[in-house]
Amino acid sequence: MKPTLVLGNKNYSSWSLRGWLVLRKAGIAFEEYPIALSTPEGDHQLADETPAGLVPVLIDGEITVWESLAIAEYAAEQNPTLWPEDRGVRATARSVAAEMHAGFGALRHALPMNCRARGRSVALDDAVQRDIDRVQRIWCDCRTRHGGGGPWLFGTFSVADAMYAPVASRFATYGIDGPAVVRDYVKTVLGDPDIAAWYAAAAEESSVIEEEEVGQA
Ligand SMILES: N[C@@H](CCC(=O)N[C@@H](CS)C(=O)NCC(=O)O)C(=O)O
């Protein structure tokens, strides 16, 4: 039986995107079980059907995996190409993936993922700007030092890219610019066929979460 990924609204749920993308890139077939976030029914489902009251959650038979990074590790056990082969490079990839998973709260709070939105503008305070600068430094370092084999942070797609894909989406939504390496990386993410499929599904959703709709003129 195929595993099931419990996930939130595709337009808004950045952690769901991370879990979904690693499964797609690992070539693991799975079913989707969507929960409408910020609705009374969705709140009940989160409370009753997920271990931490959050999505994504992967249910594979008797095994339940929550936390996007744990889902990524679970997928990488089945498809080790999700991490770079070299031990040192893999350690760097794991570090930048963990840094995203554990941090960047200011950026994530001020600039919510909103796949359908373009041309949004938000005043960036110092904390948000520091997060943006750090993300851009990570992308530049990874691309310059390890990105020779392809367009992703470590050349071929890795868990690190899944972690940063929603940030690339935010940069597009809120017009966050940067050096050519950053622009090219955003283009890589948004041009990816799996991301295109996620965006197409987000465009089909009719639900709007007002708190996530920031930066409108
Ligand atoms: N650390 C968790 C974060 C998961 C998370 O915050 N998910 C959000 C959706 S993107 C959620 O479930 N929010 C509950 C809600 O909106 O009520 C992970 O990596 O999976």
Side-chain angles (χ1 to χ4, degrees):
M1 215 169 83
K2 284 185 199 166
T4 298
L5 185 71
V6 183
L7 77 179
N9 310 47
K10 288 195 168 158
N11 193 56
Y12 301 110
S13 183
S14 59
W15 295 107
S16 298
L17 169 55
R18 292 172 172 106
W20 182 91
L21 192 55
V22 288
L23 295 176
R24 290 279 284 227
K25 294 298 186 192
I28 297 170
F30 60 100
E31 310 281 356
E32 298 182 16
Y33 179 91
I35 289 183
L37 299 177
S38 297
T39 63
E41 194 200 341
D43 289 348
H44 281 120
Q45 287 176 290
L46 286 174
D48 296 345
E49 299 173 35
T50 73
L54 299 169
V55 283
V57 176
L58 182 67
I59 300 164
D60 189 8
E62 308 252 295
I63 300 171
T64 297
V65 194
W66 64 102
E67 288 292 331
S68 55
L69 196 51
I71 293 170
E73 291 291 4
Y74 189 77
E77 283 181 2
Q78 294 168 64
N79 186 340
T81 66
L82 283 181
W83 289 115
E85 202 175 348
D86 177 87
R87 192 166 76 99
V89 180
R90 191 162 65 246
T92 304
R94 282 205 156 103
S95 299
V96 299
E99 188 175 342
M100 178 71 241
H101 188 251
F104 299 109
L107 185 160
R108 290 193 287 106
H109 181 74
L111 309 176
M113 188 176 88
N114 188 343
C115 296
R116 290 191 295 259
R118 279 289 179 283
R120 299 293 175 95
S121 181
V122 169
L124 307 175
D125 68 19
D126 289 350
V128 178
Q129 191 59 56
R130 263 197 307 277
D131 280 357
I132 290 170
D133 292 346
R134 175 66 189 145
V135 164
Q136 296 199 347
R137 230 173 20 250
I138 288 171
W139 291 359
C140 289
D141 281 356
C142 292
R143 289 289 307 133
T144 308
R145 292 185 193 169
H146 307 296
W152 299 99
L153 293 175
F154 294 87
T156 55
F157 183 91
S158 75
V159 171
D161 297 294
M163 283 292 141
Y164 286 94
V167 181
S169 169
R170 287 164 155 106
F171 282 7
T173 293
Y174 301 99
I176 308 294
D177 205 1
V181 179
V182 166
R183 286 186 191 176
D184 289 348
Y185 183 65
V186 171
K187 275 192 207 145
T188 293
V189 172
L190 297 185
D192 177 74
D194 288 312
I195 294 286
W198 178 275
Y199 266 61
E204 292 292 309
E205 291 174 345
S206 55
S207 54
V208 172
I209 302 178
E210 286 304 337
E211 313 87 82
E212 312 284 327
E213 293 290 335
V214 306
Q216 300 180 77

